[in-house]
Amino acid sequence: MADGPSTSVQTTADAVHCKLCLSDCPAATVSRLRSCDCVFCTRCLCQYVQQTILTRGGDPITCPDLACKHAGVLLDSEIASFATADQAELYQRLKFMRGVQLDPSKSWCPVLECQAVCNVMPSAEGTPVPMHCPECHAVFCCECRELWEDSHFCSQHPLVVPPANDSGMPHADAPIKQCPKCRVYIERNQGCAQMLCKSCKHTFCWYCLQNLDGDIFLRHYDKGPCRYRLGHSRASVMWNRTQVAGILVGISVIVLVTSPLLLLASPCILCCVCKPCHRTKDKKSKNKTTTTREREPSASIA
């Protein structure tokens, strides 16, 4: 199998190391994910996909390797091959329902017997307007999704994505935005401006949508238009940076201390695992036993 920078496995001549079960598997029993090129044994992938379908509720199924650089998402064809027919059908149904819930321009028909998907277009003034179901022709409110009646009063106002500005980007203070990587709608009602998408695990700034995956010290909020807009006090940010720096220094110290010990112990470790040495010792032991038997006097018959 090809070995490249995006591969997350260690291969030998006739086996592939699976990071899920931590065992070496024959090459014929493994599968490679198309989106990220990671390789795992097929049995582990089947268990992972089937468990994820039952627990994630239609969310995209990502590569099981947390250290995957590409954060690959499994294709529908791969999910169908790793799951049973019933589970694959369940995943597609949950995925469709999740898409309707996250799309502010769509809604379920409020009539229980219908449950059709309807297009919702709020009025430009932001006032509630009646919408018509294309299947059962029921009339419901575009805001609260309740049946429209005479003198209807809308008591619930779900958040609506504000229109983009002239540059095509959403407003900085918009309550709902799309993840810049997977385009899933995300709502922010409180908390800091460093956002983590639950769908694709992408970290970004809420105001400018800049990538923050590698910004462990949050230096993005030290300058530029997002300066001091993280949402935490300066003391809290400095304490967080001190903790991160302390963890990195601690790991470095451990590596520096243990490296000489590992170098000194490496000859002993190699000797213990060296098979030719064990074979030589076994041969010497067998030769010694044979020589001892030859030297023993034969028993005399009385």
Side-chain angles (χ1 to χ4, degrees):
M1 292 199 176
D3 220 2
S6 62
T7 254
S8 63
V9 296
Q10 298 175 354
T11 60
T12 59
D14 54 356
V16 176
H17 181 73
C18 175
K19 281 191 173 183
L20 296 179
C21 61
L22 303 179
S23 60
D24 294 333
C25 308
T29 63
V30 302
S31 299
R32 183 183 298 273
L33 301 181
R34 300 178 188 176
S35 57
C36 59
D37 212 33
C38 293
V39 184
F40 307 93
C41 70
T42 305
R43 183 180 61 179
C44 289
L45 281 176
C46 290
Q47 295 177 353
Y48 167 73
V49 170
Q50 294 173 14
Q51 184 66 24
T52 305
I53 291 175
L54 299 177
T55 57
R56 295 283 298 273
D59 288 348
I61 301 179
T62 57
C63 175
D65 185 5
L66 297 179
C68 178
K69 297 180 180 179
H70 302 280
V73 178
L74 274 69
L75 304 178
D76 289 344
S77 58
E78 293 175 316
I79 296 174
S81 63
F82 295 134
T84 63
D86 294 339
Q87 290 176 332
E89 182 181 356
L90 172 63
Y91 173 74
Q92 293 299 331
R93 186 164 63 252
L94 294 174
K95 179 181 177 181
F96 176 75
M97 295 173 61
R98 176 178 176 272
V100 174
Q101 293 174 352
L102 294 177
D103 191 346
S105 64
K106 296 184 181 298
S107 173
W108 298 101
C109 176
V111 179
L112 297 179
E113 293 79 9
C114 178
Q115 287 296 298
V117 178
C118 310
N119 293 324
V120 178
M121 294 180 294
S123 63
E125 295 79 10
T127 57
V129 294
M131 304 300 299
H132 297 266
C133 174
E135 297 293 334
C136 67
H137 306 289
V139 182
F140 61 95
C141 177
C142 69
E143 294 288 342
C144 63
R145 311 300 199 259
E146 296 180 359
L147 291 175
W148 188 278
E149 300 176 353
D150 295 337
S151 65
H152 174 75
F153 175 75
C154 183
S155 58
Q156 298 178 1
H157 296 272
L159 292 173
V160 179
V161 180
N165 51 29
D166 296 336
S167 62
M169 295 295 292
H171 295 286
D173 296 326
I176 295 180
K177 294 182 181 180
Q178 287 180 289
C179 172
K181 187 173 183 180
C182 67
R183 312 306 297 173
V184 168
Y185 285 97
I186 300 175
E187 174 189 355
R188 175 178 178 261
N189 50 15
Q190 60 182 354
C192 66
Q194 183 194 27
M195 304 300 296
L196 174 64
C197 177
K198 294 183 178 180
S199 177
C200 64
K201 312 302 180 185
H202 176 60
T203 307
F204 61 96
C205 173
W206 178 259
Y207 298 108
C208 64
L209 304 181
Q210 181 174 330
N211 185 359
L212 299 181
D213 285 334
D215 191 3
I216 60 176
F217 290 104
L218 301 177
R219 300 298 300 273
H220 172 73
Y221 299 96
D222 289 345
K223 56 184 178 180
C226 300
R227 185 179 184 183
Y228 302 144
R229 301 190 68 182
L230 177 61
H232 294 290
S233 64
R234 191 65 180 172
S236 176
V237 174
M238 295 304 297
W239 173 243
N240 176 74
R241 292 177 179 176
T242 303
Q243 288 180 318
V244 174
I247 293 174
L248 295 178
V249 171
I251 295 175
S252 302
V253 171
I254 293 174
V255 172
L256 291 176
V257 171
T258 57
S259 296
L261 298 178
L262 291 175
L263 291 176
L264 293 175
S266 57
C268 299
I269 297 175
L270 293 175
C271 184
C272 292
V273 300
C274 184
K275 294 183 178 179
C277 295
H278 289 292
R279 293 175 182 174
T280 305
K281 291 181 180 179
D282 293 340
K283 288 181 179 180
K284 289 183 179 180
S285 177
K286 290 180 181 179
N287 293 336
K288 185 176 180 180
T289 304
T290 303
T291 305
T292 305
R293 290 179 180 177
E294 291 177 354
R295 291 181 179 179
E296 289 181 356
S298 57
S300 58
I301 302 176

